[in-house]
Amino acid sequence: MAERTATTGRRVTRRRARTRADLLAAAFTVFAAKGFGRVPIEEICETAGYSRGAFYSNFASLDELFFALYQERAELIAAQVAGALAADGPEADLPAAVDRVAGVLLLDRDWLLVKTDFLIHAARDPAVARTLLEHRAGLRRTIAARLAATPGPLPAVLGDADGAARAVVAAYDGVTTQLLLDRDVEDARRWLGRLLTALLTS
């Protein structure tokens, strides 16, 4: 009986994880097409093929769902930065690593559209803004930890690894804003490489 219960529990856990993943994918699709704040929960459920009950068993609100999407992409960006900076091991050459970061960093226009919509929403709601700031701070701490582990000093004007991480995030934000308008991913990557090289190398 205990073994059967454990097996059933694993099936439920896998099914719940699949439901959550399907809802996140559906939400991303409709948010990118129509904008965050202009999509009701019912449309996300219909797109994913689930009921409202399935939605509320995974997320308390659309805000919570967005932060799950944000966390997925923040983890991807952190992994991309970590991989690019660690590719050469302890003797890594920072300018070469910066080029690799610019070459792999997430520049997904659909995600940028969703994130920008949510930023406007958060700017009008202090509680949501605080949560978004916490998520951004987490990403910044991860990048700072990777920068602190790279050989050689960072530019003194940035202060420390946290200051350098703030500069990286600001450069990324600026380049992606331009990308929203001109849709030129290759130009965005070139400018991101130039900005990061100027910021992080002496």
Side-chain angles (χ1 to χ4, degrees):
M1 177 67 74
E3 183 178 343
R4 184 183 304 170
T5 301
T7 301
T8 302
R10 285 194 295 272
R11 287 176 183 163
V12 170
T13 300
R14 285 198 296 269
R15 186 163 61 245
R16 182 183 176 87
R18 177 61 183 270
T19 300
R20 181 181 175 87
D22 289 345
L23 287 166
L24 285 170
F28 180 71
T29 298
V30 294
F31 287 162
K34 298 184 178 181
F36 182 90
R38 288 175 284 280
V39 176
I41 289 172
E42 289 81 5
E43 185 168 352
I44 294 170
C45 295
E46 182 180 345
T47 302
Y50 293 107
S51 66
R52 282 174 61 91
F55 180 94
Y56 283 114
S57 70
N58 285 276
F59 305 103
S61 65
L62 287 177
D63 287 352
E64 184 177 307
L65 183 149
F66 171 83
F67 283 122
L69 286 173
Y70 188 98
Q71 190 60 34
E72 284 183 348
R73 275 125 188 107
E75 289 171 1
L76 173 60
I77 290 170
Q80 290 171 331
V81 171
L85 293 178
D88 292 333
E91 302 303 320
D93 174 55
L94 187 56
V98 165
D99 284 343
R100 286 195 300 274
V101 170
V104 302
L105 206 56
L106 178 67
L107 291 176
D108 177 358
R109 190 171 180 275
D110 283 345
W111 168 241
L112 298 175
L113 286 168
V114 175
K115 188 177 74 167
T116 301
D117 278 337
F118 192 80
L119 178 64
I120 294 168
H121 165 64
R124 294 191 172 102
D125 186 325
V128 178
R130 283 193 297 272
T131 304
L132 182 56
L133 285 170
E134 289 168 5
H135 278 266
R136 285 173 62 88
L139 173 61
R140 200 168 58 241
R141 284 193 296 271
T142 301
I143 294 173
R146 295 308 312 173
L147 291 173
T150 58
L154 294 166
V157 70
L158 297 177
D160 55 13
D162 181 66
R166 287 176 180 273
V168 168
V169 172
Y172 179 75
D173 285 344
V175 165
T176 54
T177 298
Q178 181 69 21
L179 175 59
L180 280 173
L181 301 176
D182 65 21
R183 302 169 183 255
D184 191 337
V185 174
E186 292 308 311
D187 188 58
R189 290 204 183 282
R190 281 192 296 272
W191 272 105
L192 185 59
R194 293 172 187 172
L195 288 170
L196 294 181
T197 298
L199 288 167
L200 299 178
T201 61
S202 299

